[in-house]
Amino acid sequence: MRKETEKRLAACMRRAKTGAELTIGFLGGSITQGSLASADDKTYAYLVYQWWQRSFPNSSFHYVNGGIGGTTSHFGAARAVEDLLMYQPDVVVIDFSVNDDPNEFFQETFEGVLRKILGWQSKPAVLLLNNVFYDTGVSAQAYHNALADYYGVPYVSIRDSIYRKIIEGIYRREEITPDGLHPNDKGHELVAGEIIRLLECVRTRLSSAQEENIEGEEREAQELLPPPMTANAYQAARRLNICNARPMLDGFRADTEEKLGHLDCFRNGWIGKKKGDRLILETECSCLAVQYRKTIHKPTPVARLVLDGKQEEAVILDGNFQETWGDCLYLQPVLHHGCYGKHRVEVEITESSEADGAPFYLLSFIVA
C-alpha cells in the first residue's frame, strides 16, 4: 500500500478514535448497490460500514451507498457529486471494475471519478475495489490499478484473492455467486472481508505508530493532486436533464414524475412516443454521450441522434433491450475529445408502433 493514501485512512481512524462523526461512502455498480444479497445489511458495503462502527464505538458513523446497477465510471464521473460527494464523505470505496471495459477510454473516465473524489473538499480517504467475472477472470483492474498506483490509492483485488481460491478449489463458484458475477450473502461477506483485512492493517500500523508526527503526516496527505495520467476530460463531466437543460421539444415531453432517491433511475428525462417526435439541444463541450433507457418491455421506439447536422454520422438509439434482467441505463458515447465549443444535438424518433410496450425514454446527456 502506498503511504500517501494510507495517511488519509489513518487520519480518519485517528478522528474516529476521538469520537468524531464520519461518513463512509460507496460508489459503483450493481455489486455495490447490493445485487443478490438477501438484505441491505448483508451487502459488502454495509458490512464494511459496520466494521467502522464496531472498531470505533466512541464515534458516530453515517452510511452513503451510491451504487447503481449496470453503470460505468463514465456515468459515475457525472453523478459523483449528487449521489455521493454532496454528503461530504470521509472514506470512499469505488467499484467499477466489472462495468468498465478494460481499455483506455474507461481508464480515462475512471480517472475522472478518482480525481473528482480525491479533490473534493472533504478530502476523503479512497479505496478501490476490483470485482471480477468469476467465470472468466475478466476485470478492468489493470487499467484502474495503474491509476491507483499513480495516485497512491490502495486497492483490493477479488481476482487475486477470492477468484484465485476458486481456481485453487478452496471455494466452488456456486458457493459465492449464482450467476458468475453478483455475490450472494457469502460472496458479499468474503468481499467485505478482503476490504476489512486492508483496513485492519492500517489500524494495526496506527496503533503501533509513534504519534509525534501526526500533524505533519495529515498535512502531507492533503497535498494537491499530481497532473493527470490520461487526457482526463471527464473529471469535469456533468449530467444534463430536465433539472438543468432547456432543449427545444417537438413531440418529446418532460417527465413530470417526481424522482424518489438515486435508485429511482428512470426520472428527470424526456419521453418520446411517436415517429417524428424531436428534441434539439445546444451545449458546449468536447465530449458528449446520450443516456437512454433500453427496456425489456418490447417493442419500444427507436430514435436517431444527429450531432452538428452530420446526417451521415447519425447514431441509432435502439430502446429495445435484448437482455432479460431488467431495464438498462444505457450510455452511448457520441463525441470523444472533439473540438470544444457549441454543439447541436438532434434526437428524433424514427420507428414506433401502436404495439409499443413502453415509450422511448431519454434520460440525460453527459457532457465534458
Side-chain angles (χ1 to χ4, degrees):
M1 184 191 301
R2 293 280 296 277
K3 291 294 184 181
E4 299 93 307
T5 307
E6 182 177 345
K7 289 169 184 172
R8 284 199 184 189
L9 276 171
C12 288
M13 292 181 187
R14 290 190 186 101
R15 291 168 55 205
K17 285 174 65 175
T18 64
E21 288 190 50
L22 276 76
T23 297
I24 313 300
F26 301 82
L27 187 71
S30 57
I31 297 175
T32 293
Q33 182 183 328
S35 180
L36 298 193
S38 63
D40 289 343
D41 62 359
K42 302 291 187 182
T43 66
Y44 92 81
Y46 201 82
L47 294 172
V48 171
Y49 165 69
Q50 287 181 318
W51 177 88
W52 284 91
Q53 291 181 309
R54 290 193 310 272
S55 301
F56 304 98
N58 295 325
S59 189
S60 176
F61 294 94
H62 306 281
Y63 175 68
V64 177
N65 190 324
I68 299 179
T71 63
T72 66
S73 63
H74 188 181
F75 185 27
R79 69 181 181 88
V81 172
E82 63 187 271
D83 289 345
L84 173 69
L85 293 176
M86 71 179 189
Y87 302 107
Q88 304 300 330
D90 300 283
V91 179
V92 174
V93 177
I94 310 173
D95 163 40
F96 288 108
S97 57
V98 290
N99 288 12
D100 283 3
D101 291 331
N103 60 39
E104 292 181 353
F105 173 80
F106 282 109
Q107 185 175 54
E108 182 176 350
T109 62
F110 190 81
E111 183 171 34
V113 174
L114 190 56
R115 287 181 68 88
K116 187 169 281 190
I117 294 173
L118 286 171
W120 192 249
Q121 63 190 59
S122 63
K123 293 293 186 288
V126 176
L127 187 154
L128 303 192
L129 170 62
N130 297 307
N131 276 299
V132 67
F133 286 93
Y134 288 92
D135 289 335
T136 63
V138 170
S139 168
Q141 75 169 43
Y143 287 87
H144 290 182
N145 290 351
L147 290 162
D149 288 337
Y150 180 73
Y151 287 97
V153 172
Y155 48 83
V156 168
S157 168
I158 301 306
R159 188 176 74 182
D160 297 341
S161 55
I162 299 170
Y163 174 73
R164 183 179 296 277
K165 291 178 180 178
I166 292 175
I167 298 300
E168 294 171 351
I170 297 172
Y171 297 125
R172 288 182 298 106
R173 195 215 77 174
E174 294 74 15
E175 290 182 74
I176 296 169
T177 169
D179 65 359
L181 175 60
H182 301 94
N184 56 20
D185 287 353
K186 179 176 180 177
H188 275 281
E189 184 178 358
L190 290 172
V191 170
E194 294 301 319
I195 298 172
I196 289 168
R197 185 173 292 109
L198 185 152
L199 294 173
E200 288 283 8
C201 287
V202 176
R203 187 168 69 141
T204 299
R205 290 190 187 101
L206 178 63
S207 299
S208 61
Q210 297 295 322
E211 299 292 318
E212 57 191 23
N213 293 321
I214 288 175
E215 289 187 8
E217 288 182 359
E218 292 187 4
R219 192 162 50 246
E220 185 181 344
Q222 307 297 322
E223 289 180 355
L224 295 175
L225 295 178
M229 196 177 88
T230 72
N232 190 43
Y234 294 92
Q235 183 179 353
R238 56 196 177 96
R239 192 183 192 202
L240 303 179
N241 57 23
I242 66 170
C243 300
N244 56 4
R246 301 293 179 267
M248 187 277 285
L249 302 179
D250 179 11
F252 271 85
R253 67 171 180 86
D255 184 2
T256 58
E257 295 293 324
E258 183 179 359
K259 183 179 176 70
L260 303 175
H262 86 286
L263 291 179
D264 190 16
C265 298
F266 300 104
R267 293 286 186 267
N268 291 346
W270 298 276
I271 299 169
K273 295 182 177 180
K274 308 185 307 296
K275 183 177 180 179
D277 287 354
R278 290 192 310 154
L279 177 151
I280 299 173
L281 175 75
E282 289 190 349
T283 184
E284 289 190 356
C285 62
S286 63
C287 301
L288 182 142
V290 59
Q291 187 180 50
Y292 64 99
R293 178 177 64 190
K294 281 186 175 288
T295 181
I296 60 175
H297 302 290
K298 299 176 286 192
T300 196
V302 175
R304 185 178 68 162
L305 183 149
V306 176
L307 181 66
D308 297 330
K310 298 177 181 177
Q311 299 287 341
E312 69 281 4
E313 299 177 9
V315 177
I316 301 302
L317 312 178
D318 187 350
N320 296 281
F321 196 31
Q322 302 309 317
E323 301 289 343
T324 59
W325 50 260
D327 290 355
C328 173
L329 282 165
Y330 193 77
L331 187 57
Q332 173 67 55
V334 177
L335 181 67
H336 178 58
H337 294 313
C339 294
Y340 184 86
K342 185 173 289 187
H343 294 278
R344 176 186 170 93
V345 185
E346 181 175 349
V347 177
E348 181 175 355
I349 302 294
T350 57
E351 298 178 28
S352 66
S353 75
E354 293 183 358
D356 285 340
F360 184 85
Y361 199 100
L362 199 166
L363 283 139
S364 69
F365 298 93
I366 306 296
V367 297

